[in-house]
């Protein structure tokens, strides 16, 4: 392993466990688990970002600066079907202007049809990488992602009803900590088995018909708890079963949303950008399944989600399901968010009875 | 006789209501918060105590709502601490059981609540911006040299309201200055401003919603007849303004306090008790949670603001 190269991907849910596995076992470089997002991260990020860029960019930039300060020297950024495609380029420029020295792996620049282009970009991370090793480490990386998503899904649906508060989350955090030390598939499999069992053995006291809420929104905001003010946790604490389908497994690995445009055809026939069609398809599914409410979280200025917002209102009317919209930027007051969530809860509760 | 106290502490004004067991309002007061919620509540309680002095009422339960509900809830030992959306909905549906739509414009916030068969089915509240709320109207009244109380009456005199941009207060303000300088009359500008507030409200908060009558308009701004008329013109239905419309949040939370059946000791003596809050940034991690501690007679009674247990300030 080349210990001089320290790679870091911006904080994104719990996925750093999977990325670490890929980089350490596949690319053969050190991986830095990004420092957890804090108010300071967003302060740094906002300071160096263009004012009207969406807030996920600010989080990524802030996170990268913190990682660079801690010794990371190989950063990366993904691509997407919205402004996200330019973010890598912009981020690199801002960081270089600030005087940092690092390698930058911008996935938006890869031509995925050309194996040579892929190989060249992989070499940015580690010039001596072995393609065989990367390919070998991929299945386990994917499995780790799937496991994380599966466990998180279970936690979302049950954390509101556990007998010992936080037992599920504590167990899951323990799992992630241990996962960060696994070196091969065998160790991972053992760990997975052990913790799946542990999670299932935690006592849950769920009523027959609990309140159920579906969470939709833009790709980053809905998946990164810090950026949505831990809305899932707030809901769980109210004793609500939380549904959220947007994750890596469903979007990229299984491409469950391949038919999202077809599913939502009645409401929107064309592509409305980024993951907004998923948002519509998901909301429609929640509405059809009779959930008590839907919450849309988005970053302020996210155009695709803004497109989806109007469509969601039609769904809300047709299926008589309340929808709450949140638009987040770098503000820090949570009072307003709590007020709206409480009122939403009261409303669902009154209707549920 | 048993009485129930509801307090609504908004950013601009503080409202208090005492109801009896038959939900009649027997004492009420409306005063300015002036950036000091605890001081405002003390002033409020003094007035309410005076109003109740010749009646045989014992307050058995307190409810608080509004943006300072938590702080005042601790201070008054409240049984119910409820968000203002629910409180308003409960208050209005108690007095007007057939209501279908509630428009509410307060000092810093505005909301719409849709009700079907007595249950809230949808609501919206302004998010990032305070455009078209009471504080905007009062600052513009000040600019035009009229008091906000007579604003509505002046607006009714106008025959041709001036068009004023409604999207954003900053645009509205520059529009207003410009129109005044090119010679529009004051009545027309004031009427235009009322219209702009309504347009802004319906475009932002009311977007995509259906306004089914009966419609009740409340909150501090509902006292402005100019805005009421502008609402009626825009929606095409009669808009009801209750004479207690400005107290509805406090009334609602008093009803909730009564329904909760939780009775706690309350005494007007807290007017003379010293309450103090201190805030500090928790130094334990980079998150720097802003922690608030509440002291009663120099004894810590509650604290909040920490995101994790590391920052918890223990109350002995």
């Amino acid at each position: 392993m080349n210990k001089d190269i320290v790679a870091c991907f911006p904080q994104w849910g719990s996925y750093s466990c999977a990325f670490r596995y890929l980089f350490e076992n596949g690319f053969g470089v050190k991986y830095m688990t990004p420092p957890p997002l804090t108010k300071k991260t967003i302060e740094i990020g906002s300071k160096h970002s263009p004012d009207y860029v969406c807030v996920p960019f600010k989080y990524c930039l802030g996170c990268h600066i913190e990682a660079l300060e801690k010794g990371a020297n190989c950063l990366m950024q993904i691509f997407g079907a919205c402004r996200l495609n330019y973010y890598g380029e912009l981020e690199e420029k801002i960081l270089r202007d600030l005087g940092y020295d690092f390698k930058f792996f911008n996935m938006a620049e890869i031509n995925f049809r050309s194996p040579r282009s892929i190989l060249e970009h992989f070499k940015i991370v580690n010039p001596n990488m072995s393609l065989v090793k990367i390919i070998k480490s991929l299945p386990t990386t994917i499995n780790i992602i799937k496991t994380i998503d599966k466990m998180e899904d279970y936690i979302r649906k049950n954390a509101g009803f556990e007998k010992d508060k936080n037992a599920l989350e504590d167990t899951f955090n323990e799992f992630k900590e241990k996962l960060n030390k696994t070196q091969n598939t065998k160790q991972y499999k053992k760990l997975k088995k052990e913790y799946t069992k542990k999670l299932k053995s935690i006592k849950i006291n769920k009523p027959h018909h609990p309140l159920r809420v579906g969470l939709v929104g833009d790709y980053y905001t809905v998946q990164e708890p810090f950026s949505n003010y831990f809305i899932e946790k707030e809901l769980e604490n109210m004793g609500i079963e939380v549904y959220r389908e947007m994750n890596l497994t469903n979007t990229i690995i299984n491409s469950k949303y391949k038919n999202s445009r077809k599913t939502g055809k009645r409401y929107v026939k064309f592509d409305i950008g980024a993951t907004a069609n998923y948002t519509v398809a998901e909301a429609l599914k929640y509405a059809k399944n009779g959930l008590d409410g839907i919450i849309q979280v988005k970053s302020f200025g996210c155009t695709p989600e803004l497109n989806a917002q109007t469509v969601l209102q039609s769904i809300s009317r047709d299926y008589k399901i309340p929808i709450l919209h949140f638009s987040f930027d770098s503000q820090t007051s949570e009072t307003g968010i709590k007020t709206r969530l409480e009122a939403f809860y009261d409303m669902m509760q009154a209707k549920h009875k | 006789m048993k009485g129930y106290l509801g307090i609504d502490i908004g950013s601009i004004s503080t409202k208090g209501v005492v109801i009896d067991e038959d939900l009649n309002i027997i004492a009420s007061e409306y005063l300015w918060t002036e950036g000091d919620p605890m001081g405002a509540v003390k002033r409020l309680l003094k007035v309410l105590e005076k109003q109740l002095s010749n009646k045989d009422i014992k307050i058995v339960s307190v409810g608080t709502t509004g943006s300072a509900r938590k702080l005042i809830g601790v201070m008054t030992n409240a049984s119910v601490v409820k968000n203002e959306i629910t409180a308003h909905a409960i208050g209005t549906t108690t007095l007007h059981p057939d209501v279908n739509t509630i428009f509410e414009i307060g000092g810093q916030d505005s909301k719409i609540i849709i009700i079907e068969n007595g249950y809230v089915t949808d609501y919206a509240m302004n998010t990032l911006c305070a455009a078209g709320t009471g504080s905007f109207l009062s600052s513009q009244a000040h600019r035009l040299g009229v008091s906000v109380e007579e604003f509505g009456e002046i607006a009714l005199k106008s025959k041709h309201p001036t068009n004023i941009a409604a999207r954003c207060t900053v645009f509205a303000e520059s529009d207003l200055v410009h129109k005044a300088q090119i010679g529009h009359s004051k009545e027309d500008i004031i009427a235009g401003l009322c219209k702009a507030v309504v347009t802004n409200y319906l475009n932002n908060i009311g977007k995509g919603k259906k306004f089914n009558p009966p419609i009740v308009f409340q909150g501090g701004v509902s006292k402005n007849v100019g805005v009421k008329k502008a609402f009626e013109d825009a929606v095409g239905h009669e808009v009801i303004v209750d004479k207690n419309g400005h107290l509805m949040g406090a009334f609602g939370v008093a009803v909730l306090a009564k329904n909760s059946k939780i009775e706690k000791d309350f005494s007007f003596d807290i007017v003379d008790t010293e309450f103090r809050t201190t805030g500090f940034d928790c130094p334990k991690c980079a998150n720097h949670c802003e922690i608030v501690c509440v002291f009663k007679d120099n004894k810590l009674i509650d604290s909040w603001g920490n995101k994790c247990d590391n920052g918890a300030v223990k109350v002995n």
Side-chain angles (χ1 to χ4, degrees), chain B residues 96-107:
Chain B
H96 303 271
D98 55 342
V99 65
N100 276 325
T101 309
I102 302 174
F103 293 157
E104 211 248 304
I105 306 185

Side-chain angles (χ1 to χ4, degrees), chain B residues 27-275:
Chain B
S28 70
E29 178 60 9
Y30 181 101
L31 42 80
W32 303 120
T33 308
E34 294 169 346
D36 173 20
M38 288 185 155
V41 168
K42 283 186 178 178
R43 279 186 284 132
L44 180 90
L45 290 177
K46 266 185 207 159
V47 179
L48 291 178
E49 188 179 14
K50 221 176 198 172
Q51 290 183 16
L52 292 174
S53 57
N54 52 3
K55 293 184 184 105
D56 178 31
I57 292 282
K58 173 152 177 44
I59 288 170
V60 292
S61 186
V62 180
T64 59
T65 183
S67 40
R69 59 182 179 277
K70 196 167 177 186
L71 181 64
I72 304 305
V74 169
M75 183 178 155
T76 56
N77 195 17
S79 320
V80 173
V81 176
K82 207 64 175 174
N83 64 80
E84 51 270 36
I85 300 165
T86 308
H88 273 108
I90 298 286
T92 313
T93 47
T94 309
L95 288 183
H96 303 271
D98 55 342
V99 65
N100 276 325
T101 309
I102 302 174
F103 293 157
E104 211 248 304
I105 306 185
Q108 285 277 306
D109 65 358
S110 48
K111 41 191 163 304
I112 181 166
I113 306 173
I114 308 286
I115 293 171
E116 271 173 40
N117 307 323
Y119 288 115
V120 179
T121 54
D122 197 6
Y123 74 86
M125 194 171 172
N126 62 336
T127 45
L128 294 166
C129 162
T133 58
S135 57
F136 168 67
L137 274 182
S138 74
S139 70
Q140 295 317 312
H142 184 71
R143 172 189 286 279
L144 294 166
V146 297
S147 80
V148 72
E149 287 83 4
E150 43 184 335
F151 213 76
E153 294 295 337
I154 300 174
L156 289 187
K157 287 185 198 143
S158 158
K159 296 242 157 37
H160 306 285
T162 306
N163 260 328
I164 289 176
R167 174 144 296 282
C168 164
T169 49
V170 180
F171 294 157
E173 194 164 342
S174 60
D175 231 23
L176 182 141
V177 173
H178 177 71
K179 295 278 160 82
Q181 300 303 73
I182 61 170
H184 287 252
S185 77
K186 211 179 246 184
E187 292 104 74
D188 288 349
I189 290 176
I190 289 177
L193 210 54
C194 293
K195 218 176 115 185
V197 164
V198 169
T199 318
N200 179 295
Y201 178 92
L202 295 176
N203 283 348
N204 283 312
I205 322 290
K207 183 165 254 155
K209 309 233 181 316
K210 283 210 176 88
F211 316 116
N212 292 326
I215 301 171
V216 172
F217 175 31
Q218 60 194 38
V221 176
S222 68
K223 298 282 146 186
N224 184 325
V225 281
V227 177
K228 174 181 183 265
K229 183 169 175 293
F231 260 125
E232 287 176 338
D233 292 346
V235 184
H237 295 293
E238 194 210 347
V239 170
I240 306 161
V241 175
D242 194 281
K243 73 176 197 308
N244 289 323
H246 57 300
L247 301 170
M248 214 48 89
F251 177 69
V253 83
V255 173
L256 283 169
K258 179 183 171 283
N259 293 348
S260 75
K261 298 202 168 68
I262 305 168
E263 297 191 355
K264 283 191 185 175
D265 287 340
F266 172 82
S267 140
F268 280 106
D269 290 348
I270 58 169
V271 171
D272 304 316
T273 314
E274 195 208 329
F275 286 92

